[in-house]
């Protein structure tokens, strides 16, 4: 099947992640994710792949066995089934054929403007898949699914091309806390390393992301009527505000970029008797990440001395930097760079100020960098996907498999 048609077919199934169901522990949060997984499973079966499993959580795993007598690495490729909750309408994708520049009308009121998307000039002469201005496109991450299934089809139809074991895994609910990756049993994958396809324009390659944690601090005060509060009232709200005031100035999301870490005050709720403060902690360097976590613990300990143990702190790790499990000479980094070179693609290596499924999968023992899907403007009605970029996403992972066999 043509990769473009494959992608368009996937977009017709609305897999918007359901945050309420997710908060209630339901997986998949949207049953359409299971519907999409069943469609993909049938496609893989039609290619002749026999080792396929799909569980009730919508975790789909398929394995193409090696056809080589050599000892070759097993490589896994991951994508997620859900789309972001920013928009929940059905996708009505359309193709702009042979784009010749200028704004692209999504509907009679909304246009994809060159003034706001200067990179459009890079795609003159290409076909571009867009939304109709009422929904997401779903290239995040259905472009990845299409690219991976296209790769699987290639090796199934060309069995004379030597390759190691190829593992394919599609996961639910990435868009709300990497839930599918957290539910994944890495032993079911068994690969030496892997790749998520979950970043943007052609050439993007990510092997560094945040070490991420969160913190909840409960301040317990003493309530009193203001008419006789002197010497009795201990205001938990003011305790929380004092705590916030002691955080390093300038180390917040709105002041930082690139690899600069931060504390993010995410939530503050309560009253004079009890207040809950929620913080996110982000840092690329693992040692600095733990220093930030220790700083918060030390602050809480200090407050407990002042306020007679009225502060309770809870610190949690959320996900880790993939690079904690890699080095610059690792095959998982070198193979894509060589694939890019062979295919004439300029690599765009950048640190990711966020997380993705590979961060969790890497913690489970399968180092998993992140490769491009080709899409732009994820989580937006202005999301679009140049067709050549989609095709090259598939070509890159085909080339990775070939290079691993010949290296």
């Amino acid at each position: 099947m043509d990769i473009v048609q494959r992608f368009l077919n996937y977009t017709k199934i609305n897999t918007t992640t359901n945050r309420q169901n997710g908060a209630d522990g339901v997986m998949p949060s949207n049953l359409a994710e299971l519907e999409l997984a069943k469609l993909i499973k049938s496609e893989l079966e039609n290619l002749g792949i026999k080792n396929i499993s799909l569980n009730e959580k919508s975790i789909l795993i398929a394995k193409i066995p090696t056809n080589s007598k050599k000892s070759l690495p097993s490589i896994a490729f991951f994508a997620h089934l859900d789309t972001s909750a920013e928009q929940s309408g059905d996708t009505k994708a359309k193709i702009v054929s042979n784009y010749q520049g200028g704004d692209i009308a999504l509907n009679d009121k909304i246009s994809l403007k060159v003034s706001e998307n200067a990179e459009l000039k890079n795609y003159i002469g290409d076909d571009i898949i867009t939304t109709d201005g009422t929904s997401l496109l779903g290239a995040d991450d259905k472009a990845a699914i299409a690219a991976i299934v296209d790769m699987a089809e290639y090796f199934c139809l060309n069995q004379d091309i030597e390759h190691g074991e190829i593992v394919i895994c599609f996961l639910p609910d990435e868009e709300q806390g990497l839930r599918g990756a957290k539910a994944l049993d890495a032993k079911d994958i068994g690969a030496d390393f892997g790749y998520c396809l979950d970043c943007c324009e052609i050439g993007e390659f990510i092997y560094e992301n945040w070490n991420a944690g969160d913190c909840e601090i409960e301040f317990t005060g003493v309530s009193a009527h203001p008419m006789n509060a002197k010497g009795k009232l201990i205001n938990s709200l003011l305790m929380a505000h004092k705590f916030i005031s002691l955080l390093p100035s300038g180390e917040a999301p709105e002041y930082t970029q690139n690899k600069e870490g931060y504390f993010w005050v995410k939530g503050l709720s309560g009253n004079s008797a009890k207040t809950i403060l929620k913080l996110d902690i982000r840092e690329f360097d693992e040692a600095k990440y733990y220093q930030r976590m220790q700083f918060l613990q030390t602050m809480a300990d200090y407050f407990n001395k002042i306020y007679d143990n009225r502060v309770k702190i809870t610190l949690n790790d959320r996900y880790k930097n993939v690079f904690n499990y890699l080095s610059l000479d690792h095959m998982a980094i070198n193979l894509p760079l060589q694939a890019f070179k062979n295919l004439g693609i300029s690599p765009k290596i950048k640190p990711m100020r966020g997380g993705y499924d590979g961060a969790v999968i890497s913690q489970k023992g399968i180092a998993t960098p992140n490769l491009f899907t080709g899409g732009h403007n994820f989580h937006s009605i202005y999301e679009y996907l140049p067709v050549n970029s989609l095709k090259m996403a598939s070509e890159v992972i085909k080339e990775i498999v070939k290079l691993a066999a010949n290296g």
Side-chain angles (χ1 to χ4, degrees), residues 61-104:
I61 301 171
K63 297 186 178 183
I64 303 173
T66 182
N67 61 3
S68 175
K69 295 180 180 179
K70 296 187 295 189
S71 178
L72 298 178
S74 171
I75 306 176
F77 297 94
F78 299 90
H80 61 87
L81 298 160
D82 61 323
T83 57
S84 173
E86 269 79 3
Q87 298 285 333
S88 60
D90 289 336
T91 300
K92 299 179 180 65
K94 60 182 184 178
I95 300 177
V96 178
S97 299
N98 192 21
Y99 172 66
Q100 290 301 302
D103 297 347
I104 298 174

Side-chain angles (χ1 to χ4, degrees), residues 355-371:
Y356 66 101
D357 280 339
V360 172
I361 295 165
S362 295
Q363 284 181 259
K364 296 186 176 189
I366 304 170
T368 305
N370 195 357
L371 291 166

Side-chain angles (χ1 to χ4, degrees), residues 185-392:
D185 188 338
K187 293 193 294 294
D188 294 336
I189 301 297
D192 293 295
F193 55 91
Y195 298 95
C196 280
L197 278 71
D198 196 14
C199 55
C200 300
E201 67 179 311
I202 185 170
E204 280 201 5
F205 181 33
I206 290 167
Y207 50 79
E208 294 183 87
N209 62 280
W210 288 129
N211 292 288
D214 57 67
C215 173
E216 181 173 294
I217 308 173
E218 180 181 297
F219 299 88
T220 302
V222 176
S223 59
H225 195 285
M227 74 173 65
N228 59 353
K230 186 173 182 178
K232 299 177 184 178
L233 175 66
I234 301 176
N235 193 327
S236 70
L237 280 166
L238 295 182
M239 291 165 61
H241 279 282
K242 187 170 291 185
F243 192 99
I244 293 169
S245 73
L246 294 174
L247 296 174
S249 60
E251 296 184 16
E254 60 267 37
Y255 304 121
T256 55
Q257 61 184 345
N258 301 324
K259 291 188 179 182
E260 297 171 334
Y262 58 69
F263 297 104
W264 186 8
V265 177
K266 288 286 292 291
L268 185 65
S269 61
N271 51 40
S272 62
K274 182 175 288 187
T275 298
I276 302 293
L277 170 63
K278 294 184 178 182
L279 299 162
D280 276 359
I281 303 91
R282 299 290 186 269
E283 188 66 67
F284 279 89
D285 182 272
E286 190 173 25
K288 290 181 180 179
Y289 167 74
Y290 285 116
Q291 288 171 7
R292 287 187 180 277
M293 298 291 266
Q294 183 57 53
F295 174 80
L296 295 174
Q297 182 65 60
T298 300
M299 285 257 289
D301 293 343
Y302 176 72
F303 267 60
N304 274 325
K305 290 180 180 179
I306 296 174
Y307 293 105
D308 194 25
N309 293 317
R310 295 186 177 278
V311 176
K312 178 183 177 182
I313 185 170
T314 303
L315 295 162
N316 294 304
D317 295 325
R318 190 175 297 176
Y319 53 81
K320 294 297 183 66
N321 187 344
V322 169
F323 197 67
N324 296 345
Y325 311 96
L326 290 167
S327 61
L328 289 175
D329 60 355
H330 196 289
M331 185 179 289
I333 292 178
N334 289 332
L335 287 176
L337 293 177
Q338 186 61 51
F340 287 172
K341 183 177 180 180
N342 292 356
L343 295 167
I345 298 171
S346 298
K348 300 177 178 70
I349 301 170
K350 57 179 66 176
M352 186 179 196
R353 288 174 66 86
Y356 66 101
D357 280 339
V360 172
I361 295 165
S362 295
Q363 284 181 259
K364 296 186 176 189
I366 304 170
T368 305
N370 195 357
L371 291 166
F372 71 89
T373 62
H376 290 262
N377 299 338
F378 287 178
H379 297 199
S380 165
I381 61 172
Y382 299 102
E383 186 180 5
Y384 71 93
L385 177 65
V387 166
N388 184 61
S389 299
L390 170 62
K391 291 178 177 178
M392 293 308 290

